[in-house]
Amino acid sequence: MLSRKTRETSDPYVMAFLEDYRLLKTRPIDNEANPVFDEAFYCPVAHITEGIAFQVKDKDMIKDETMGTYFLPVGELIRQVDESDAEEDSSVVVGDLKRVGVHKVVFLDGKQDHGTLEFFVEFIPVRMLSKTMEVPGTYFHERGGNIVKLYMNSDDDGSAPIVEYGEEDGEEPKVWTPPRLWHDIYHAICKAKHFIYAAGWSFDVEQLLLRGAELESMADSKYSPRLGELLKQKSEEGVVVNLMQWDEPSSNFAFPGMMGTFDEKSRTFFRGTKVTSRFMCMAGGELGLGKMMAFTHHQKFMVMDAPKEANVCCDGDETELLGFIGGIDVTKGRWDNRKHHLFRTLQSLHKGDIYSHCFHISPEHGPRQPWHDIHSSVRGPVTLDLLQAFTERWIKQASDAVGNLVNINRLGLGEAIKLENDGGWCTQLSRSIDSRVNAFDAAIEQSFNSTDIDSLNVNWSLETEKNAQSSRRFETASDSTLSFSRTLDQKKGRLVDNSIHMAHIHHIRRARHHIYIESQYFMGSSFMWSNEKERDVKCSNMVAAELTLKICQKIVAREPFAVYILLPMWMEGIPQDNATQGLLYFQRNTIEAMFKHVQHALDTCMSNSSDDVLKVSDYINFYCLGTRETTDGSEATGESTTDDEMHLVNTRRHQIYVHSKMMIVDDEVCLIGTANINQRSLDGCRDSEIMMTSYQPDHLATDDSIAHGDIHAYRMHIWASITDQMNDLFRDPSQKECVDLMNSIAESNFKTYIGDKTVDMTSHLLPFPLEFCDGELRPRRGLVDGKLPDTNADAMGKKSFVFPEMFLT
């Protein structure tokens, strides 16, 4: 890019927009008249737009100045397959979109003396990107030969209705046996002989990994059931124990911090021991205190050596790597099972572990805040990627302790082929993280930076354009020459791994029958929000837009399809507080936009059809969880001291807090990790996150059927647990009969939840407290004055003028 002739030097950078939505932003280059950015961006799009607007800006102390612009009409990138293309390649269909590339050197503002901008834009249609289960162009590749376990809650007590599966594929029926997470973590730590790596948002060293009769039976064990003491014991045995925990900026030796992550407690507990613990700020200390407090290290995973499982072919005492990854912190309030007791375990299973961030209550009186969550474990080659994810963060932010990392090759565990097993799972790791807090592999960085346009195996054609010094393009209906050199993204010159976002988009686009999501937050795609005043909010992740487009495509095709989304009734925090109301407000904008776009597609479809009236709720529904408990067996003590306690002791109800981060598509593929559906988790430059995508190649969906493997059983187990029934309609979530059943169960439970009579609820599924009626989103009928149950908080939320939108989204 050449600057204006009237300006000797500047500090230029480039941005590109689709209407008001920013696609990319390069780093600024200081004092340069002829900057070479050489930056590559991969930008998924699901936008209605006229084209791409490029802006060259001059960075300034007060206000950045626009140096020049260029507009690329979208028509230059959209070409359709014609009959001649279809004759050459029988795999393409007339009307399909082509892959198109445009390489130009253009005059800014259409004037030669304003300088030039060189760029290359390539449009790749979805059909070329979604052919494989593997997410293309990401840092970590798919690996086969793994064993995966799928967990619901920190403890799954086996009391859920029985789930049988497998007969659909002509196999003998199998019964789903739920694994138990904290039980498995405890025994895995006990059995580790060489190393234990743990990364978390929060660790509570006093947490009991075993409870009840199991805890009593371990009284004579040489290992403590408490997390911190157990790790100290293993380190004393010579096991290398490395722990990474988020360093909450508001905490210190005298104050535990606003987020209650126990980082100072861990720091004190492990000081002077053989456990190497490091506490890491987000953004490497580069940002101001406000942003450092807002954004967190949110990854939660462990990796360690372990004896090989009995069902894997091995000889003698062979070892392998074992990893745990998901949304459950080993910290206060997380231990729970599907019973989700409020008052009955205050002095027994939950004594010393009473947690409530939704109301002002005392540990003695309750109720405790019930917890629903999701996690996974894995053995096999992908554990090498987990190990690498830990190592890269450790090298970047614990450089003084790099010598404490084990040499995995000396343990004979460094080769993927030696870690393969007969578990039959394929897995792929993904992350949200950038180079401020992660030391990316130098070889992968080099591969990423070596993109060469002229090396593309395509046929270029020269074009003449009045406002361009040079212009050429290619277009092809075939994907045979398509390859990905991309492994990372860039933002302001930083390397960014935002592959969690890409994985969600990839698998939504592949969906054929249904999608089931559990998330603590759900907000994004602000560019399509109905409230035009909020469309410039920097909450641009594509999940909501991609879900909406998928539903609309199915409506047009007149194919059954259903999306089920499980959220908390409200996010953690006192619901009427400014921050919680602000969160609900942005979430409401997201849900409202989705419903209105789906309604528009339905209106268009039904205007040309005599079919029965279709409803938005036939295709997409939001749910939450709640429970009530009678006084029978209550372990509450003392008198009520707060307004919340005095109220809740009468209503005896509480939302079950949904903290999960999971997406299941067609019962074929399962995405489990630490990332919520919001910008913080999916941006790549805000919270650090990690996720594992898993599927069984022997159990894949087809155009006519969902998959019927372990993911199918796992999803049905979750539904059986939260509804307290195993209905055969659960076997095909895409069908309207299943949608109607889930909605009927939720509505019936809602009447029980808000009713005057207190009962023991064993079915916990509730409708979300907002409903779509007559084209508008509003508080659900049954709520008093539109308030959330037992609160004075608006269910619709309110815009916060205290907390910046970046912190809330």
Side-chain angles (χ1 to χ4, degrees):
M1 191 276 292
L2 300 175
S3 66
R4 300 183 188 208
K5 291 182 178 180
T6 56
R7 188 185 300 271
E8 292 184 1
T9 61
S10 59
D11 305 320
Y13 64 92
V14 180
M15 295 191 292
F17 294 85
L18 298 178
E19 314 310 318
D20 294 328
Y21 173 76
R22 191 176 79 190
L23 275 177
L24 60 89
K25 182 178 182 179
T26 70
R27 72 192 187 283
I29 298 180
D30 295 339
N31 301 316
E32 181 58 59
N34 297 287
V36 177
F37 296 99
D38 194 22
E39 295 186 35
F41 303 86
Y42 180 75
C43 308
V45 291
H47 303 68
I48 299 173
T49 184
E50 296 293 325
I52 304 174
F54 291 92
Q55 294 182 8
V56 180
K57 308 280 282 190
D58 181 16
K59 185 180 180 182
D60 201 3
M61 290 287 292
I62 300 175
K63 184 179 180 180
D64 295 357
E65 178 185 356
T66 299
M67 300 175 63
T69 63
Y70 178 79
F71 184 77
L72 178 68
V74 73
E76 291 197 35
L77 296 171
I78 302 301
R79 295 288 189 273
Q80 290 183 307
V81 172
D82 57 26
E83 292 183 358
S84 62
D85 297 313
E87 288 177 1
E88 292 181 12
D89 185 350
S90 60
S91 67
V92 300
V93 177
V94 173
D96 282 347
L97 296 181
K98 291 183 176 182
R99 174 185 168 210
V100 177
V102 176
H103 178 210
K104 296 188 178 191
V105 180
V106 299
F107 301 120
L108 294 173
D109 304 320
K111 299 178 181 180
Q112 295 188 28
D113 62 350
H114 281 207
T116 61
L117 174 69
E118 181 179 7
F119 63 84
F120 169 67
V121 177
E122 181 178 11
F123 172 75
I124 306 173
V126 169
R127 68 180 179 86
M128 294 186 182
L129 296 171
S130 305
K131 288 191 172 182
T132 64
M133 290 289 286
E134 180 177 14
V135 183
T138 58
Y139 192 83
F140 292 115
H141 297 290
E142 179 183 295
R143 293 184 184 265
N146 300 281
I147 297 172
V148 174
K149 287 185 179 180
L150 306 172
Y151 299 90
M152 182 189 71
N153 299 323
S154 53
D155 192 60
D156 204 337
D157 62 4
S159 65
I162 293 174
V163 171
E164 292 187 350
Y165 68 108
E167 63 270 21
E168 296 94 340
D169 294 334
E171 302 175 359
E172 286 293 321
K174 294 178 285 187
V175 175
W176 176 259
T177 303
R180 301 171 56 217
L181 178 64
W182 281 19
H183 169 277
D184 287 357
I185 288 177
Y186 172 77
H187 288 286
I189 293 175
C190 290
K191 294 176 182 178
K193 294 181 179 180
H194 301 288
F195 75 96
I196 301 165
Y197 292 171
W201 179 78
S202 171
F203 290 107
D204 180 7
V205 294
E206 294 184 0
Q207 273 304 299
L208 286 166
L209 296 173
L210 305 176
R211 309 279 172 116
E214 191 172 39
L215 176 60
E216 295 174 8
S217 69
M218 299 295 292
D220 297 327
S221 171
K222 73 173 186 175
Y223 292 121
S224 171
R226 295 191 184 275
L227 175 66
E229 190 61 37
L230 176 60
L231 293 178
K232 283 171 60 175
Q233 289 175 319
K234 296 304 294 186
S235 69
E236 291 291 336
E237 292 179 356
V239 175
V240 174
V241 180
N242 292 334
L243 181 141
M244 292 191 297
Q245 186 170 345
W246 177 46
D247 189 0
E248 185 189 343
S250 70
S251 67
N252 54 53
F253 70 95
F255 178 62
M258 293 186 294
M259 303 300 291
T261 60
F262 304 108
D263 56 328
E264 294 301 323
K265 184 177 178 181
S266 297
R267 195 192 310 266
T268 300
F269 185 86
F270 290 121
R271 185 178 293 126
T273 73
K274 293 184 179 180
V275 173
T276 306
S277 56
R278 291 295 182 268
F279 302 87
M280 303 174 182
C281 289
M282 191 54 203
E286 180 182 315
L287 299 177
L289 181 61
K291 290 185 177 180
M292 284 175 62
M293 292 178 66
F295 303 136
T296 78
H297 276 305
H298 200 237
Q299 294 181 342
K300 318 170 210 299
F301 68 99
M302 296 180 179
V303 60
M304 63 200 73
D305 68 284
K308 280 201 171 184
E309 284 210 327
N311 66 330
V312 181
C313 295
C314 62
D315 297 319
D317 297 326
E318 287 191 51
T319 60
E320 59 184 345
L321 298 179
L322 168 62
F324 294 89
I325 178 172
I328 303 180
D329 298 279
V330 185
T331 194
K332 192 170 186 176
R334 272 40 169 193
W335 191 93
D336 211 347
N337 53 40
R338 66 175 293 268
K339 295 184 176 72
H340 299 299
H341 287 306
L342 302 179
F343 299 95
R344 291 177 182 153
T345 56
L346 298 180
Q347 305 301 322
S348 51
L349 289 175
H350 285 101
K351 186 173 184 178
D353 191 25
I354 310 303
Y355 175 94
S356 177
H357 279 199
C358 294
F359 294 102
H360 296 294
I361 65 100
S362 66
E364 298 78 18
H365 195 277
R368 60 174 291 272
Q369 179 180 315
W371 201 269
H372 173 86
D373 219 330
I374 296 296
H375 219 80
S376 64
S377 71
V378 63
R379 297 170 184 262
V382 79
T383 53
L384 291 174
D385 297 333
L386 271 177
L387 195 67
Q388 182 174 347
F390 186 96
T391 301
E392 288 180 355
R393 276 187 57 193
W394 191 267
I395 289 172
K396 186 71 174 184
Q397 290 195 282
S399 57
D400 65 310
V402 170
N404 289 69
L405 295 171
V406 299
N407 186 325
I408 204 71
N409 291 312
R410 290 181 181 175
L411 299 178
L413 299 172
E415 296 182 40
I417 192 169
K418 292 184 179 180
L419 296 176
E420 289 183 0
N421 54 55
D422 59 3
W425 288 80
C426 289
T427 56
Q428 186 174 12
L429 202 67
S430 53
R431 293 179 297 185
S432 292
I433 202 163
D434 69 32
S435 53
R436 292 173 297 179
V437 294
N438 195 80
F440 292 111
D441 183 276
I444 297 178
E445 284 188 28
Q446 181 60 38
S447 171
F448 168 73
N449 288 323
S450 62
T451 304
D452 181 10
I453 298 172
D454 291 319
S455 67
L456 295 174
N457 186 17
V458 294
N459 295 319
W460 291 97
S461 61
L462 299 178
E463 295 186 330
T464 302
E465 181 182 338
K466 176 182 177 182
N467 295 326
Q469 188 179 90
S470 64
S471 179
R472 60 176 177 166
R473 62 180 290 114
F474 73 81
E475 57 183 73
T476 175
S478 172
D479 62 355
S480 60
T481 61
L482 179 62
S483 63
F484 282 86
S485 59
R486 171 192 180 272
T487 53
L488 294 167
D489 239 316
Q490 289 179 305
K491 185 175 182 180
K492 299 180 182 179
R494 297 190 299 265
L495 291 174
V496 180
D497 185 347
N498 65 348
S499 51
I500 293 180
H501 186 217
M502 304 312 303
H504 278 86
I505 293 171
H506 179 79
H507 289 291
I508 291 171
R509 289 176 173 178
R510 285 180 49 83
R512 286 177 272 190
H513 304 288
H514 80 276
I515 296 173
Y516 175 54
I517 291 174
E518 294 188 6
S519 183
Q520 185 183 5
Y521 302 92
F522 190 86
M523 54 189 82
S525 306
S526 54
F527 56 86
M528 74 171 194
W529 287 356
S530 304
N531 185 348
E532 295 184 9
K533 295 180 180 179
E534 300 290 2
R535 288 182 183 171
D536 61 346
V537 170
K538 294 179 180 178
C539 185
S540 57
N541 74 79
M542 304 283 291
V543 174
E546 292 288 347
L547 288 169
T548 303
L549 281 177
K550 175 61 67 171
I551 294 169
C552 292
Q553 290 168 0
K554 292 295 184 176
I555 290 171
V556 171
R558 299 181 182 276
E559 295 175 359
F561 192 82
V563 175
Y564 306 80
I565 301 176
L566 184 67
L567 306 174
M569 193 179 295
W570 71 84
M571 303 81 164
E572 268 197 315
I574 304 304
Q576 57 267 29
D577 283 358
N578 198 279
T580 312
Q581 284 288 293
L583 290 164
L584 290 169
Y585 172 77
F586 287 124
Q587 185 164 271
R588 178 242 295 180
N589 275 274
T590 303
I591 296 171
E592 180 182 50
M594 296 177 71
F595 282 172
K596 288 190 172 183
H597 279 81
V598 172
Q599 183 64 63
H600 178 73
L602 288 170
D603 291 343
T604 302
C605 180
M606 290 187 292
S607 67
N608 302 315
S609 171
S610 60
D611 291 346
D612 294 337
V613 175
L614 299 173
K615 306 185 298 296
V616 171
S617 59
D618 293 335
Y619 291 89
I620 180 170
N621 290 277
F622 288 81
Y623 305 94
C624 59
L625 300 177
T627 191
R628 300 189 79 171
E629 190 174 274
T630 64
T631 58
D632 294 344
S634 174
E635 295 181 357
T637 60
E639 297 295 325
S640 301
T641 58
T642 69
D643 290 341
D644 287 342
E645 287 179 350
M646 286 185 278
H647 181 77
L648 294 171
V649 75
N650 291 316
T651 62
R652 306 190 70 80
R653 62 189 172 203
H654 201 295
Q655 71 155 315
I656 298 169
Y657 195 71
V658 176
H659 187 258
S660 321
K661 301 92 171 59
M662 176 184 71
M663 182 170 77
I664 292 175
V665 178
D666 294 340
D667 285 3
E668 176 184 56
V669 61
C670 185
L671 291 69
I672 293 177
T674 68
N676 294 297
I677 307 299
N678 61 0
Q679 198 61 28
R680 295 174 62 106
S681 287
L682 302 178
D683 185 87
C685 295
R686 296 189 184 182
D687 291 351
S688 67
E689 309 283 5
I690 194 163
M691 185 184 75
M692 186 174 72
T693 300
S694 307
Y695 73 95
Q696 294 171 292
D698 292 339
H699 298 282
L700 301 179
T702 67
D703 288 339
D704 301 319
S705 173
I706 63 174
H708 298 115
D710 286 353
I711 295 173
H712 175 61
Y714 177 59
R715 193 263 310 156
M716 289 194 296
H717 171 66
I718 295 172
W719 285 17
S721 296
I722 62 178
T723 64
D724 199 36
Q725 61 176 279
M726 178 53 219
N727 194 299
D728 275 347
L729 291 176
F730 291 171
R731 297 186 182 279
D732 190 352
S734 68
Q735 297 303 308
K736 186 176 182 301
E737 292 80 2
C738 182
V739 176
D740 290 344
L741 174 63
M742 289 287 279
N743 289 341
S744 175
I745 293 170
E747 288 292 345
S748 177
N749 289 341
F750 185 63
K751 292 177 182 177
T752 302
Y753 188 79
I754 65 172
D756 294 332
K757 182 180 179 181
T758 300
V759 299
D760 286 322
M761 290 183 64
T762 57
S763 179
H764 302 299
L765 185 70
L766 302 175
F768 198 67
L770 304 180
E771 64 181 351
F772 191 68
C773 188
D774 298 327
E776 297 295 331
L777 193 67
R778 66 187 188 189
R780 182 165 294 279
R781 284 162 292 185
L783 297 179
V784 179
D785 298 327
K787 307 293 185 182
L788 294 166
D790 304 311
T791 79
N792 193 35
D794 290 331
M796 297 279 281
K798 292 181 179 178
K799 185 176 177 64
S800 172
F801 294 97
V802 176
F803 294 94
E805 47 89 2
M806 180 179 288
F807 293 3
L808 298 176
T809 58

